[in-house]
Amino acid sequence: MEKDIKYLRRCAQLAMLGDGRVRDNPRVGSVLVHQDRIIGEGYHRIAGQGHAEVNCLASVRPEDRLLIPESTLYISLEPCCITGRSGACTDKIRREGIKTVVFAQRDPTPGVAGESVRILQRADITVREYPDFADTKLPNAHRHTLVTLQRPYVVLKFASSSDGFIRPADRKAAYWITHPLSRRLVHRWRANTSAILVGGRTVVEDNPSLNTRLFSGPTPQPVIVDLRNRCTGKEKLFAGSGQQPLVFTSRARPELAAEVVVLDKDLNQEALTQVLGKLMAQRVGEVTVEGGAALLNAFITTGLWDEARVFTGTARFGSGVIAPHLPADATLVEKKAVGTDRLEVFKNMAPVPGTSR
Ligand SMILES: NC(=O)c1ccc[n+]([C@@H]2O[C@H](COP(=O)([O-])OP(=O)(O)OC[C@H]3O[C@@H](n4cnc5c(N)ncnc54)[C@H](OP(=O)(O)O)[C@@H]3O)[C@@H](O)[C@H]2O)c1
């Protein structure tokens, strides 16, 4: 129905407002509609707090509350039926007396997929589903990866000079690869990711803050992969002004103001699987790997990535650290100009044996 799609599109817009604070939960938006008038809207903001449907119902004005049972509840994702950190949404829907529920995709979470539909139908609630509606798939790419691959969604991000270097040979000279608009966009992306991974050498040489100072939103957890123990502890990330970093090293480092996990020395598939396993245990849904080349190349060669966002600036360096090369089967899904830069977004569609990807 045309009207259903109109309101599901609004649900998708609301879902996209969810940032890194949703952690490994889905990003979901919801609207309540009475006779073609929206009387409530909400989205899931923070893991462990109100789901989209709950926030939507809470937003209904007192004078409209009588209309709730005669209204249609639209949700970007199948409502939950398990009592996790907050109550089951199917119970809330029944208690409010809502008689029609429309959603896009089923929730892939084991124990939910399809079960909520059965619960609602047993309570004589009409349910309409739109599994192919694309707009609501985008905010939940991380959920698909978590369920099918048992690891967080991995985004690679880097910037290259026009001649293919991520930094010039002379690193003492001040340089910027990207346009200010791209830098602001990166801070917006940061607010939407739960963790940022960087290599030990990047922390020592660039001394980054990895915060969201150019965009309003939460700063993600900084994670440093430093198997050659390069960090000294004097870098900005250890200064205590932001979140405590999580650092993977190859020997105990009690002097670092950080949570330290000791791994073997090699930056290989086993090490990266352990890094992602630790983040998954901490309920991280999406991580962004921001460099440098060694760390990005390790994720690329092991195939442990889902999306890559690559900026190419206008400067030429002539020599320096060579930018990572994505495999030939990486699928280009978007290409556009940001300021004077080119931004290309790739997806890793390579099948993973034993899974549905
Ligand atoms: N343009 C961009 O988007 C961008 C983004 C981030 C960083 N950068 C630049 O990238 C540079 C750093 O990149 P990078 O590639 O040198 O380092 P990196 O990726 O930041 O750090 C990787 C760390 O892993 C270590 N390592 C490398 N191979 C290993 C292996 N097989 N086993 C265990 N450990 C291993 C490296 O050791 P070593 O210390 O011995 O090398 C290094 O400490 C910085 O200068 C920064 O400016 C550019």
Side-chain angles (χ1 to χ4, degrees):
M1 275 205 297
E2 212 175 292
K3 256 186 201 159
D4 285 354
I5 295 301
K6 177 171 95 175
Y7 290 118
L8 285 177
R9 195 162 286 133
R10 178 64 187 148
C11 290
Q13 287 174 341
L14 291 163
M16 290 300 282
L17 296 177
D19 56 37
R21 287 173 290 188
V22 302
R23 312 283 303 171
D24 58 352
N25 275 3
R27 289 193 179 93
V28 188
S30 177
V31 296
L32 189 67
V33 179
H34 181 262
Q35 292 178 358
D36 218 10
R37 178 170 73 93
I38 291 181
I39 61 167
E41 283 195 339
Y43 66 97
H44 182 47
R45 304 167 79 102
I46 300 177
Q49 296 186 15
H51 286 185
E53 306 85 316
V54 173
N55 291 340
C56 171
L57 287 161
S59 77
V60 178
R61 291 183 303 184
E63 60 269 36
D64 284 337
R65 291 206 63 80
L66 272 174
L67 305 175
I68 292 178
E70 296 160 28
S71 303
T72 299
L73 183 68
Y74 290 87
I75 323 160
S76 57
L77 189 75
E78 178 179 7
C80 75
C81 60
I82 40 182
T83 316
R85 288 169 282 185
S86 46
C89 288
T90 45
D91 287 348
K92 177 86 178 157
I93 292 167
R94 282 189 299 180
R95 277 201 309 275
E96 296 279 2
I98 293 167
K99 293 176 199 71
T100 309
V101 171
V102 179
F103 66 83
Q105 282 82 37
R106 289 197 175 189
D107 185 341
T109 310
V112 178
E115 185 52 28
S116 297
V117 176
R118 283 186 284 279
I119 291 171
L120 294 175
Q121 286 173 337
R122 275 202 297 269
D124 284 332
I125 295 170
T126 303
V127 179
R128 292 195 292 275
E129 302 177 47
Y130 292 85
D132 298 326
F133 182 62
D135 297 26
T136 45
K137 288 184 183 168
L138 183 68
N140 280 318
H142 66 291
R143 289 290 303 168
H144 186 71
T145 304
L146 285 163
V147 173
T148 56
L149 303 183
Q150 296 296 308
R151 62 161 174 78
Y153 187 79
V154 176
V155 178
L156 311 179
K157 182 245 126 189
F158 58 92
S160 160
S161 63
S162 63
D163 53 351
F165 300 98
I166 65 160
R167 81 149 164 83
D170 176 10
R171 71 178 177 82
K172 292 197 178 63
Y175 71 94
W176 278 113
I177 297 179
T178 48
H179 187 273
L181 278 177
S182 302
R183 298 206 284 276
R184 189 172 288 258
L185 179 59
V186 167
H187 284 227
R188 178 176 165 191
W189 289 341
R190 280 182 182 167
N192 283 335
T193 196
S194 301
I196 296 192
L197 263 73
V198 283
R201 190 176 274 273
T202 293
V203 173
V204 173
E205 292 187 353
D206 291 6
N207 199 11
S209 303
L210 303 182
N211 58 22
T212 49
R213 64 196 175 279
L214 302 178
F215 189 80
S216 142
T219 289
Q221 157 92 58
V223 182
I224 307 167
V225 182
D226 188 24
L227 303 184
R228 292 195 177 149
N229 311 303
R230 302 285 184 210
C231 293
T232 63
K234 297 203 164 47
E235 296 83 3
K236 279 185 207 163
L237 287 176
F238 301 102
S241 51
Q243 287 197 52
Q244 192 190 50
L246 168 63
V247 189
F248 293 87
T249 60
S250 57
R251 64 174 162 81
R253 301 289 311 273
E255 72 280 21
L256 295 181
E259 180 186 351
V260 176
V261 177
V262 179
L263 301 178
D264 284 343
K265 272 195 171 74
D266 280 331
L267 189 56
N268 53 21
Q269 174 134 15
E270 200 188 323
L272 296 186
T273 304
Q274 283 178 295
V275 169
L276 294 176
K278 170 81 180 169
L279 292 173
M280 179 137 170
Q282 293 187 344
R283 309 201 71 138
V284 165
E286 177 186 309
V287 302
T288 304
V289 185
E290 288 208 9
L295 188 62
L296 287 161
N297 281 326
F299 276 93
I300 293 167
T301 53
T302 54
L304 290 168
W305 66 282
D306 301 289
E307 186 176 327
R309 300 169 185 168
V310 184
F311 289 101
T312 306
T314 50
R316 285 183 66 81
F317 291 165
S319 59
V321 177
I322 296 171
H325 278 293
L326 294 172
D329 60 359
T331 309
L332 181 68
V333 292
E334 192 182 352
K335 185 173 177 172
K336 65 177 180 184
V338 181
T340 50
D341 301 333
R342 185 174 75 234
L343 169 64
E344 290 165 301
V345 180
F346 298 86
K347 290 270 170 99
N348 182 4
M349 311 267 197
V352 178
T355 74
S356 58
R357 193 185 92 181

PDB file of all heavy atoms in Angstrom, residues 30-32 39-43 45 50-65 68 73 92 96 98:
ATOM      1  N   SER A  30      10.010   4.577  14.444  1.00  0.00           N
ATOM      2  CA  SER A  30       8.603   4.187  14.531  1.00  0.00           C
ATOM      3  C   SER A  30       7.712   5.427  14.480  1.00  0.00           C
ATOM      4  O   SER A  30       8.070   6.480  15.026  1.00  0.00           O
ATOM      5  CB  SER A  30       8.403   3.442  15.862  1.00  0.00           C
ATOM      6  OG  SER A  30       7.053   3.106  16.047  1.00  0.00           O
ATOM      7  N   VAL A  31       6.558   5.305  13.809  1.00  0.00           N
ATOM      8  CA  VAL A  31       5.568   6.385  13.843  1.00  0.00           C
ATOM      9  C   VAL A  31       4.189   5.791  14.118  1.00  0.00           C
ATOM     10  O   VAL A  31       3.906   4.648  13.746  1.00  0.00           O
ATOM     11  CB  VAL A  31       5.507   7.219  12.528  1.00  0.00           C
ATOM     12  CG1 VAL A  31       6.787   7.956  12.275  1.00  0.00           C
ATOM     13  CG2 VAL A  31       5.145   6.380  11.338  1.00  0.00           C
ATOM     14  N   LEU A  32       3.356   6.572  14.793  1.00  0.00           N
ATOM     15  CA  LEU A  32       1.983   6.149  15.080  1.00  0.00           C
ATOM     16  C   LEU A  32       1.072   7.081  14.279  1.00  0.00           C
ATOM     17  O   LEU A  32       1.200   8.313  14.370  1.00  0.00           O
ATOM     18  CB  LEU A  32       1.708   6.272  16.582  1.00  0.00           C
ATOM     19  CG  LEU A  32       0.390   5.676  17.050  1.00  0.00           C
ATOM     20  CD1 LEU A  32       0.386   4.157  16.892  1.00  0.00           C
ATOM     21  CD2 LEU A  32       0.134   6.031  18.514  1.00  0.00           C
ATOM     22  N   ILE A  39       0.653  10.967  15.015  1.00  0.00           N
ATOM     23  CA  ILE A  39       0.416  11.464  16.380  1.00  0.00           C
ATOM     24  C   ILE A  39       1.566  11.093  17.325  1.00  0.00           C
ATOM     25  O   ILE A  39       1.592  11.515  18.479  1.00  0.00           O
ATOM     26  CB  ILE A  39      -0.943  10.998  16.956  1.00  0.00           C
ATOM     27  CG1 ILE A  39      -1.017   9.463  17.029  1.00  0.00           C
ATOM     28  CG2 ILE A  39      -2.101  11.558  16.148  1.00  0.00           C
ATOM     29  CD1 ILE A  39      -2.201   8.972  17.872  1.00  0.00           C
ATOM     30  N   GLY A  40       2.530  10.303  16.816  1.00  0.00           N
ATOM     31  CA  GLY A  40       3.685   9.972  17.656  1.00  0.00           C
ATOM     32  C   GLY A  40       4.865   9.552  16.791  1.00  0.00           C
ATOM     33  O   GLY A  40       4.679   9.006  15.699  1.00  0.00           O
ATOM     34  N   GLU A  41       6.081   9.844  17.259  1.00  0.00           N
ATOM     35  CA  GLU A  41       7.300   9.455  16.532  1.00  0.00           C
ATOM     36  C   GLU A  41       8.379   9.105  17.545  1.00  0.00           C
ATOM     37  O   GLU A  41       8.450   9.728  18.619  1.00  0.00           O
ATOM     38  CB  GLU A  41       7.848  10.631  15.709  1.00  0.00           C
ATOM     39  CG  GLU A  41       7.128  10.912  14.443  1.00  0.00           C
ATOM     40  CD  GLU A  41       7.929  11.826  13.514  1.00  0.00           C
ATOM     41  OE1 GLU A  41       8.837  12.544  13.987  1.00  0.00           O
ATOM     42  OE2 GLU A  41       7.640  11.802  12.331  1.00  0.00           O
ATOM     43  N   GLY A  42       9.239   8.159  17.194  1.00  0.00           N
ATOM     44  CA  GLY A  42      10.348   7.857  18.097  1.00  0.00           C
ATOM     45  C   GLY A  42      11.390   6.994  17.411  1.00  0.00           C
ATOM     46  O   GLY A  42      11.139   6.437  16.339  1.00  0.00           O
ATOM     47  N   TYR A  43      12.558   6.915  17.999  1.00  0.00           N
ATOM     48  CA  TYR A  43      13.594   6.004  17.492  1.00  0.00           C
ATOM     49  C   TYR A  43      14.421   5.502  18.664  1.00  0.00           C
ATOM     50  O   TYR A  43      14.397   6.087  19.761  1.00  0.00           O
ATOM     51  CB  TYR A  43      14.473   6.681  16.422  1.00  0.00           C
ATOM     52  CG  TYR A  43      15.324   7.829  16.907  1.00  0.00           C
ATOM     53  CD1 TYR A  43      16.672   7.646  17.245  1.00  0.00           C
ATOM     54  CD2 TYR A  43      14.788   9.117  17.027  1.00  0.00           C
ATOM     55  CE1 TYR A  43      17.454   8.699  17.686  1.00  0.00           C
ATOM     56  CE2 TYR A  43      15.575  10.178  17.471  1.00  0.00           C
ATOM     57  CZ  TYR A  43      16.902   9.958  17.795  1.00  0.00           C
ATOM     58  OH  TYR A  43      17.675  11.003  18.239  1.00  0.00           O
ATOM     59  N   ARG A  45      17.529   5.175  20.740  1.00  0.00           N
ATOM     60  CA  ARG A  45      18.673   6.090  20.882  1.00  0.00           C
ATOM     61  C   ARG A  45      19.855   5.445  21.594  1.00  0.00           C
ATOM     62  O   ARG A  45      20.995   5.649  21.195  1.00  0.00           O
ATOM     63  CB  ARG A  45      18.256   7.324  21.694  1.00  0.00           C
ATOM     64  CG  ARG A  45      17.064   8.052  21.124  1.00  0.00           C
ATOM     65  CD  ARG A  45      16.524   9.041  22.124  1.00  0.00           C
ATOM     66  NE  ARG A  45      17.318  10.243  22.135  1.00  0.00           N
ATOM     67  CZ  ARG A  45      16.956  11.375  21.543  1.00  0.00           C
ATOM     68  NH1 ARG A  45      15.803  11.453  20.924  1.00  0.00           N
ATOM     69  NH2 ARG A  45      17.710  12.427  21.589  1.00  0.00           N
ATOM     70  N   GLY A  50      14.762   2.923  26.014  1.00  0.00           N
ATOM     71  CA  GLY A  50      13.539   2.706  25.236  1.00  0.00           C
ATOM     72  C   GLY A  50      13.753   2.309  23.781  1.00  0.00           C
ATOM     73  O   GLY A  50      14.551   2.916  23.066  1.00  0.00           O
ATOM     74  N   HIS A  51      13.010   1.300  23.351  1.00  0.00           N
ATOM     75  CA  HIS A  51      13.002   0.931  21.944  1.00  0.00           C
ATOM     76  C   HIS A  51      12.185   1.973  21.167  1.00  0.00           C
ATOM     77  O   HIS A  51      11.461   2.778  21.762  1.00  0.00           O
ATOM     78  CB  HIS A  51      12.404  -0.459  21.769  1.00  0.00           C
ATOM     79  CG  HIS A  51      13.332  -1.556  22.221  1.00  0.00           C
ATOM     80  ND1 HIS A  51      13.057  -2.884  22.060  1.00  0.00           N
ATOM     81  CD2 HIS A  51      14.546  -1.508  22.829  1.00  0.00           C
ATOM     82  CE1 HIS A  51      14.056  -3.604  22.541  1.00  0.00           C
ATOM     83  NE2 HIS A  51      14.970  -2.789  23.019  1.00  0.00           N
ATOM     84  N   ALA A  52      12.268   1.926  19.847  1.00  0.00           N
ATOM     85  CA  ALA A  52      11.611   2.932  19.003  1.00  0.00           C
ATOM     86  C   ALA A  52      10.112   3.014  19.288  1.00  0.00           C
ATOM     87  O   ALA A  52       9.550   4.109  19.426  1.00  0.00           O
ATOM     88  CB  ALA A  52      11.850   2.589  17.535  1.00  0.00           C
ATOM     89  N   GLU A  53       9.461   1.839  19.392  1.00  0.00           N
ATOM     90  CA  GLU A  53       8.004   1.812  19.591  1.00  0.00           C
ATOM     91  C   GLU A  53       7.642   2.473  20.921  1.00  0.00           C
ATOM     92  O   GLU A  53       6.660   3.220  21.017  1.00  0.00           O
ATOM     93  CB  GLU A  53       7.477   0.368  19.637  1.00  0.00           C
ATOM     94  CG  GLU A  53       7.832  -0.506  18.468  1.00  0.00           C
ATOM     95  CD  GLU A  53       9.196  -1.182  18.596  1.00  0.00           C
ATOM     96  OE1 GLU A  53      10.167  -0.505  18.995  1.00  0.00           O
ATOM     97  OE2 GLU A  53       9.299  -2.368  18.274  1.00  0.00           O
ATOM     98  N   VAL A  54       8.443   2.185  21.953  1.00  0.00           N
ATOM     99  CA  VAL A  54       8.184   2.727  23.287  1.00  0.00           C
ATOM    100  C   VAL A  54       8.346   4.247  23.268  1.00  0.00           C
ATOM    101  O   VAL A  54       7.501   4.986  23.783  1.00  0.00           O
ATOM    102  CB  VAL A  54       9.156   2.080  24.320  1.00  0.00           C
ATOM    103  CG1 VAL A  54       9.030   2.737  25.679  1.00  0.00           C
ATOM    104  CG2 VAL A  54       8.889   0.580  24.401  1.00  0.00           C
ATOM    105  N   ASN A  55       9.414   4.726  22.624  1.00  0.00           N
ATOM    106  CA  ASN A  55       9.641   6.174  22.539  1.00  0.00           C
ATOM    107  C   ASN A  55       8.562   6.850  21.692  1.00  0.00           C
ATOM    108  O   ASN A  55       8.141   7.979  21.991  1.00  0.00           O
ATOM    109  CB  ASN A  55      11.031   6.469  21.947  1.00  0.00           C
ATOM    110  CG  ASN A  55      12.140   6.071  22.915  1.00  0.00           C
ATOM    111  OD1 ASN A  55      11.898   5.933  24.120  1.00  0.00           O
ATOM    112  ND2 ASN A  55      13.343   5.859  22.412  1.00  0.00           N
ATOM    113  N   CYS A  56       8.106   6.152  20.660  1.00  0.00           N
ATOM    114  CA  CYS A  56       7.041   6.684  19.802  1.00  0.00           C
ATOM    115  C   CYS A  56       5.754   6.841  20.622  1.00  0.00           C
ATOM    116  O   CYS A  56       5.130   7.913  20.616  1.00  0.00           O
ATOM    117  CB  CYS A  56       6.835   5.730  18.628  1.00  0.00           C
ATOM    118  SG  CYS A  56       5.407   6.098  17.620  1.00  0.00           S
ATOM    119  N   LEU A  57       5.374   5.805  21.352  1.00  0.00           N
ATOM    120  CA  LEU A  57       4.127   5.863  22.129  1.00  0.00           C
ATOM    121  C   LEU A  57       4.232   6.914  23.240  1.00  0.00           C
ATOM    122  O   LEU A  57       3.261   7.607  23.545  1.00  0.00           O
ATOM    123  CB  LEU A  57       3.802   4.477  22.698  1.00  0.00           C
ATOM    124  CG  LEU A  57       3.316   3.485  21.623  1.00  0.00           C
ATOM    125  CD1 LEU A  57       3.438   2.040  22.079  1.00  0.00           C
ATOM    126  CD2 LEU A  57       1.868   3.809  21.239  1.00  0.00           C
ATOM    127  N   ALA A  58       5.439   7.059  23.805  1.00  0.00           N
ATOM    128  CA  ALA A  58       5.620   8.040  24.881  1.00  0.00           C
ATOM    129  C   ALA A  58       5.511   9.473  24.358  1.00  0.00           C
ATOM    130  O   ALA A  58       5.263  10.406  25.126  1.00  0.00           O
ATOM    131  CB  ALA A  58       6.984   7.828  25.547  1.00  0.00           C
ATOM    132  N   SER A  59       5.703   9.644  23.039  1.00  0.00           N
ATOM    133  CA  SER A  59       5.683  11.015  22.484  1.00  0.00           C
ATOM    134  C   SER A  59       4.258  11.495  22.178  1.00  0.00           C
ATOM    135  O   SER A  59       4.062  12.654  21.823  1.00  0.00           O
ATOM    136  CB  SER A  59       6.516  11.069  21.196  1.00  0.00           C
ATOM    137  OG  SER A  59       5.784  10.503  20.120  1.00  0.00           O
ATOM    138  N   VAL A  60       3.272  10.613  22.276  1.00  0.00           N
ATOM    139  CA  VAL A  60       1.885  11.003  21.940  1.00  0.00           C
ATOM    140  C   VAL A  60       1.390  12.011  22.981  1.00  0.00           C
ATOM    141  O   VAL A  60       1.530  11.794  24.193  1.00  0.00           O
ATOM    142  CB  VAL A  60       0.972   9.750  21.907  1.00  0.00           C
ATOM    143  CG1 VAL A  60      -0.477  10.154  21.617  1.00  0.00           C
ATOM    144  CG2 VAL A  60       1.470   8.747  20.862  1.00  0.00           C
ATOM    145  N   ARG A  61       0.799  13.108  22.484  1.00  0.00           N
ATOM    146  CA  ARG A  61       0.333  14.162  23.409  1.00  0.00           C
ATOM    147  C   ARG A  61      -0.861  13.645  24.229  1.00  0.00           C
ATOM    148  O   ARG A  61      -1.643  12.820  23.715  1.00  0.00           O
ATOM    149  CB  ARG A  61      -0.089  15.406  22.625  1.00  0.00           C
ATOM    150  CG  ARG A  61       1.092  16.113  21.970  1.00  0.00           C
ATOM    151  CD  ARG A  61       0.647  17.349  21.276  1.00  0.00           C
ATOM    152  NE  ARG A  61      -0.381  17.044  20.272  1.00  0.00           N
ATOM    153  CZ  ARG A  61      -0.897  17.953  19.446  1.00  0.00           C
ATOM    154  NH1 ARG A  61      -0.491  19.209  19.501  1.00  0.00           N
ATOM    155  NH2 ARG A  61      -1.807  17.627  18.567  1.00  0.00           N
ATOM    156  N   PRO A  62      -1.043  14.140  25.461  1.00  0.00           N
ATOM    157  CA  PRO A  62      -2.130  13.621  26.310  1.00  0.00           C
ATOM    158  C   PRO A  62      -3.487  13.662  25.605  1.00  0.00           C
ATOM    159  O   PRO A  62      -4.271  12.722  25.693  1.00  0.00           O
ATOM    160  CB  PRO A  62      -2.108  14.551  27.527  1.00  0.00           C
ATOM    161  CG  PRO A  62      -0.728  15.107  27.566  1.00  0.00           C
ATOM    162  CD  PRO A  62      -0.228  15.151  26.155  1.00  0.00           C
ATOM    163  N   GLU A  63      -3.746  14.736  24.841  1.00  0.00           N
ATOM    164  CA  GLU A  63      -5.067  14.846  24.192  1.00  0.00           C
ATOM    165  C   GLU A  63      -5.255  13.838  23.051  1.00  0.00           C
ATOM    166  O   GLU A  63      -6.376  13.625  22.592  1.00  0.00           O
ATOM    167  CB  GLU A  63      -5.327  16.280  23.695  1.00  0.00           C
ATOM    168  CG  GLU A  63      -4.344  16.812  22.681  1.00  0.00           C
ATOM    169  CD  GLU A  63      -3.162  17.566  23.311  1.00  0.00           C
ATOM    170  OE1 GLU A  63      -2.700  17.144  24.400  1.00  0.00           O
ATOM    171  OE2 GLU A  63      -2.699  18.544  22.716  1.00  0.00           O
ATOM    172  N   ASP A  64      -4.153  13.236  22.590  1.00  0.00           N
ATOM    173  CA  ASP A  64      -4.267  12.251  21.497  1.00  0.00           C
ATOM    174  C   ASP A  64      -4.229  10.807  22.012  1.00  0.00           C
ATOM    175  O   ASP A  64      -4.415   9.875  21.223  1.00  0.00           O
ATOM    176  CB  ASP A  64      -3.117  12.444  20.490  1.00  0.00           C
ATOM    177  CG  ASP A  64      -3.326  13.659  19.587  1.00  0.00           C
ATOM    178  OD1 ASP A  64      -4.496  14.064  19.424  1.00  0.00           O
ATOM    179  OD2 ASP A  64      -2.328  14.191  19.079  1.00  0.00           O
ATOM    180  N   ARG A  65      -3.999  10.621  23.287  1.00  0.00           N
ATOM    181  CA  ARG A  65      -3.788   9.254  23.791  1.00  0.00           C
ATOM    182  C   ARG A  65      -5.006   8.355  23.565  1.00  0.00           C
ATOM    183  O   ARG A  65      -4.862   7.155  23.325  1.00  0.00           O
ATOM    184  CB  ARG A  65      -3.409   9.281  25.278  1.00  0.00           C
ATOM    185  CG  ARG A  65      -2.002   9.873  25.523  1.00  0.00           C
ATOM    186  CD  ARG A  65      -1.381   9.351  26.796  1.00  0.00           C
ATOM    187  NE  ARG A  65      -1.168   7.923  26.766  1.00  0.00           N
ATOM    188  CZ  ARG A  65      -0.140   7.321  26.164  1.00  0.00           C
ATOM    189  NH1 ARG A  65       0.775   8.034  25.544  1.00  0.00           N
ATOM    190  NH2 ARG A  65      -0.025   6.010  26.185  1.00  0.00           N
ATOM    191  N   ILE A  68      -4.941   6.172  20.407  1.00  0.00           N
ATOM    192  CA  ILE A  68      -3.919   5.127  20.206  1.00  0.00           C
ATOM    193  C   ILE A  68      -4.528   3.799  19.717  1.00  0.00           C
ATOM    194  O   ILE A  68      -4.061   3.237  18.723  1.00  0.00           O
ATOM    195  CB  ILE A  68      -3.044   4.934  21.480  1.00  0.00           C
ATOM    196  CG1 ILE A  68      -2.186   6.186  21.700  1.00  0.00           C
ATOM    197  CG2 ILE A  68      -2.148   3.700  21.347  1.00  0.00           C
ATOM    198  CD1 ILE A  68      -1.314   6.161  22.957  1.00  0.00           C
ATOM    199  N   LEU A  73       0.484   1.393  13.981  1.00  0.00           N
ATOM    200  CA  LEU A  73       1.870   1.571  14.409  1.00  0.00           C
ATOM    201  C   LEU A  73       2.793   1.101  13.290  1.00  0.00           C
ATOM    202  O   LEU A  73       2.714  -0.064  12.847  1.00  0.00           O
ATOM    203  CB  LEU A  73       2.136   0.769  15.692  1.00  0.00           C
ATOM    204  CG  LEU A  73       3.534   0.917  16.280  1.00  0.00           C
ATOM    205  CD1 LEU A  73       3.771   2.328  16.824  1.00  0.00           C
ATOM    206  CD2 LEU A  73       3.784  -0.108  17.388  1.00  0.00           C
ATOM    207  N   LYS A  92       3.850  -4.401  24.996  1.00  0.00           N
ATOM    208  CA  LYS A  92       3.475  -2.980  25.038  1.00  0.00           C
ATOM    209  C   LYS A  92       2.386  -2.696  23.997  1.00  0.00           C
ATOM    210  O   LYS A  92       1.396  -2.010  24.283  1.00  0.00           O
ATOM    211  CB  LYS A  92       4.742  -2.150  24.751  1.00  0.00           C
ATOM    212  CG  LYS A  92       4.540  -0.667  24.680  1.00  0.00           C
ATOM    213  CD  LYS A  92       4.611  -0.028  26.034  1.00  0.00           C
ATOM    214  CE  LYS A  92       4.447   1.473  25.950  1.00  0.00           C
ATOM    215  NZ  LYS A  92       3.983   2.027  27.217  1.00  0.00           N
ATOM    216  N   GLU A  96      -1.481  -1.438  24.814  1.00  0.00           N
ATOM    217  CA  GLU A  96      -2.001  -0.154  24.304  1.00  0.00           C
ATOM    218  C   GLU A  96      -3.246  -0.352  23.445  1.00  0.00           C
ATOM    219  O   GLU A  96      -3.871   0.615  23.029  1.00  0.00           O
ATOM    220  CB  GLU A  96      -0.930   0.580  23.488  1.00  0.00           C
ATOM    221  CG  GLU A  96       0.288   1.004  24.292  1.00  0.00           C
ATOM    222  CD  GLU A  96       0.064   2.296  25.069  1.00  0.00           C
ATOM    223  OE1 GLU A  96      -1.043   2.862  25.017  1.00  0.00           O
ATOM    224  OE2 GLU A  96       1.024   2.729  25.747  1.00  0.00           O
ATOM    225  N   ILE A  98      -3.414  -1.481  20.357  1.00  0.00           N
ATOM    226  CA  ILE A  98      -3.210  -1.176  18.920  1.00  0.00           C
ATOM    227  C   ILE A  98      -3.662  -2.378  18.081  1.00  0.00           C
ATOM    228  O   ILE A  98      -3.365  -3.527  18.433  1.00  0.00           O
ATOM    229  CB  ILE A  98      -1.713  -0.845  18.667  1.00  0.00           C
ATOM    230  CG1 ILE A  98      -1.381   0.466  19.371  1.00  0.00           C
ATOM    231  CG2 ILE A  98      -1.388  -0.768  17.176  1.00  0.00           C
ATOM    232  CD1 ILE A  98       0.090   0.758  19.465  1.00  0.00           C
TER     233      ILE A  98
END
